[in-house]
Amino acid sequence: MPSPEPEPTQKPTTRNKTILLLEDDSDLVAVLKAFFEDEGYLVTHVGNGVDGLKRVMATDFNVILCDMLMPNLAGDMFYMAVERVKPNLCKRFIFMTGHKGDPKWDGFVRKIGGILLFKPFQLHVLTEAVETVLRKTQQI
């Protein structure tokens, strides 16, 4: 007997989906890494944009969670570097900042048509953003 079709309201499968987390706040990293790993994601963390660029050069990620203010390479500069070397990853970004209303970040994210979350955010909001990226990039 064939297995039944999955319910359309089921959560998208997260098994083997990869997240690159660029964040320099160790407390936030611990929360996000534990949360997404519990959800079945494979999470790679780096604390700055230069290390993030090295990781992107080595592999593609399903989702890139990127803090806007990081050491060595800010989020907008990191995005522009990725755009040059792996433009296929540009639709996979979710930006995070604690600086709500900063015209530099607001303008940048609006210009690229990206997603920007303001810290502190609730995990369900971040989960919805991740699912949006996965759907938008047809990875689910």
Side-chain angles (χ1 to χ4, degrees), residues 74-84 90 93 95 108 112:
D76 57 342
M77 295 285 113
F78 173 73
Y79 176 90
M80 288 188 264
V82 171
E83 188 176 42
R84 294 186 80 157
C90 288
F93 274 77
F95 295 98
F108 168 74
I112 65 164

Side-chain angles (χ1 to χ4, degrees), residues 22 49 53 64 66-68 70 73-87 89-95 108-109 111-115:
L22 291 96
L53 196 53
I64 300 172
C66 183
D67 187 17
M68 293 304 289
M70 291 182 298
L73 195 62
D76 57 342
M77 295 285 113
F78 173 73
Y79 176 90
M80 288 188 264
V82 171
E83 188 176 42
R84 294 186 80 157
V85 296
K86 287 203 173 176
L89 299 183
C90 288
K91 296 292 184 199
R92 300 179 185 190
F93 274 77
I94 298 169
F95 295 98
F108 168 74
V109 174
K111 176 182 162 189
I112 65 164
I115 298 172

